[in-house]
Amino acid sequence: MSTVYMPPSIRHFEPLHMVFSTWVDHLPFGYDLVAALRPKMLVELGTHKGLSYFTFCQSMKENEIDGLCYAIDTFEGDEHTDKYDESVFNAVNNHNRQHYHGFSYLMRMYFQDALRHFNEESIDLLHIDGFHTYEAVSEDFANWYPKIKPGGIILFHDVQARLQDFGAWKFWDEIRGQHETFTFNHGFGLGVLRKPGGDRSNDPELLKLLFEEQTEDSCARIRAFYVHASKHLENTRKVKRLQKDKASNGAS
Ligand SMILES: C[S@@+](CC[C@H](N)C(=O)[O-])C[C@H]1O[C@@H](n2cnc3c(N)ncnc32)[C@H](O)[C@@H]1O
């Protein structure tokens, strides 16, 4: 990296929707990727309590991006998240209505059933974060790849999670060499894949850093940057919480 990389997550990003999720380490990257890509159509497979999805939506709104977002989930859970109750969907639905009304839509259904609602080559950014067995991730990728625009991006969460019968790591290991990809290793791993084609003449800086300027050193720097960015965000939130507690203790 020859220039100073100062993305929007560093300048102004305070997550509006904090819930427990292993996605927490990727919030700055998710926010910056949306700001850089300016997607007309964003789709998430697997939303649960909405940590990743609402980070994307927040970036759409704060960076004044004119696009549509869809969160697809049964909102019932699976064998890895365990089954959960209606309170999860209700909280996600309320937050969505309150903050992202008019451009963000929840599709409460199986991924398979949602396919027919999307045209071929219509999606700019897809996040695959559903059931994490090798078979499920392979199927999600095979089903949804044709829906991605040339030059569009697919994110895969948990490509470094080697627990239970998780198999995203195995699938990622198989396909990463056959595509243009970048791998974050922290936060259970986040794979970034770019579909061939599209107009790349005006690629944003983040995409250049991820895909065009790949040397061992540049990859290590961008990985380190986003590890630090997520730690910075976590520490900032801790400090703000402490200040708030102190202020409310002082007031009582
Ligand atoms: C790992 S969680 C998603 C985590 C979320 N992206 C976050 O930021 O925390 C996986 C979700 O995928 C959903 N899911 C798994 N398989 C599915 C399928 N075939 N169709 C619809 N939803 C599915 C589950 O209900 C669960 O809520």
Side-chain angles (χ1 to χ4, degrees), residues 166-217:
F166 277 50
W169 64 269
K170 186 163 176 262
F171 183 67
W172 187 246
D173 274 0
E174 278 176 17
I175 64 158
R176 62 192 282 181
Q178 301 161 20
H179 296 265
E180 225 179 329
T181 60
F182 188 93
T183 309
F184 289 102
N185 298 316
H186 70 294
F188 294 95
L190 188 72
V192 189
L193 180 149
R194 192 168 196 194
K195 192 170 180 172
D199 175 14
R200 298 176 178 220
S201 53
N202 286 321
D203 262 0
E205 196 184 355
L206 179 56
L207 291 194
K208 284 188 190 148
L209 287 170
L210 293 177
F211 298 113
E212 288 175 24
E213 294 165 13
Q214 279 192 343
T215 62
E216 232 172 81
D217 187 48

Side-chain angles (χ1 to χ4, degrees), residues 21 46-48 52 73-74 77-78 84 109-111 129-132:
S21 163
T47 295
H48 196 180
S52 52
D73 199 310
T74 57
D78 55 41
Y84 48 79
M109 57 179 73
Y110 287 106
F111 304 151
D129 197 14
F131 194 40
H132 284 84

Side-chain angles (χ1 to χ4, degrees), residues 110-150:
Y110 287 106
F111 304 151
Q112 182 77 30
D113 297 331
L115 273 169
R116 65 189 170 85
H117 296 285
F118 296 90
N119 291 330
E120 307 286 285
E121 301 192 347
S122 63
I123 300 173
D124 300 277
L125 177 58
L126 176 76
H127 178 214
I128 298 183
D129 197 14
F131 194 40
H132 284 84
T133 59
Y134 174 84
E135 292 72 21
V137 178
S138 322
E139 192 183 324
D140 292 341
F141 178 72
N143 284 341
W144 288 85
Y145 188 79
K147 308 285 182 185
I148 308 300
K149 273 187 197 162

